[in-house]
Amino acid sequence: KENEKGHKQAKVKDTKNALVATEEELKLTQEHLDKAVEYYEKLKPTCVDSGISYEERVKRREEEIQSLQEALKILAGTDLS
């Protein structure tokens, strides 16, 4: 009977230790999650659709590329008009 009591006490002690370890791990995981959510909220405005259509974005990007190509020509000295 004493042996059974000792085993149960050891099991309770092991379970309590496991609980403490699990709670600590949960706390750390929650901190990581909170930081990740905070970072996500910081990035979200830059990733959200700006209301500009795909065609408009393509047109603007093409204009930007054309402008940069002209600037490159000027800087390279190949377009001295």
Side-chain angles (χ1 to χ4, degrees), residues 5-75:
K5 184 179 178 182
H7 285 301
K8 286 185 179 182
Q9 287 177 341
K11 186 174 180 182
V12 168
K13 183 178 178 182
D14 289 344
T15 304
K16 285 182 180 180
N17 287 339
L19 177 62
V20 168
T22 303
E23 287 175 341
E24 183 64 28
E25 185 177 344
L26 175 62
K27 179 183 172 189
L28 291 173
T29 302
Q30 186 63 48
E31 288 174 4
H32 286 278
L33 176 60
D34 292 343
K35 288 179 183 178
V37 168
E38 179 182 337
Y39 185 65
Y40 169 73
E41 291 299 325
K42 182 178 172 184
L43 289 179
K44 196 160 114 178
T46 61
C47 299
V48 175
D49 184 21
S50 61
I52 300 173
S53 70
Y54 174 75
E55 291 79 16
E56 182 64 27
R57 288 193 310 253
V58 169
K59 181 180 173 189
R60 286 184 181 184
R61 185 68 59 208
E62 288 173 353
E63 290 172 357
E64 182 180 0
I65 290 171
Q66 180 64 31
S67 174
L68 290 170
Q69 287 174 341
E70 290 174 16
L72 182 61
K73 287 178 184 177
I74 292 170
L75 289 173

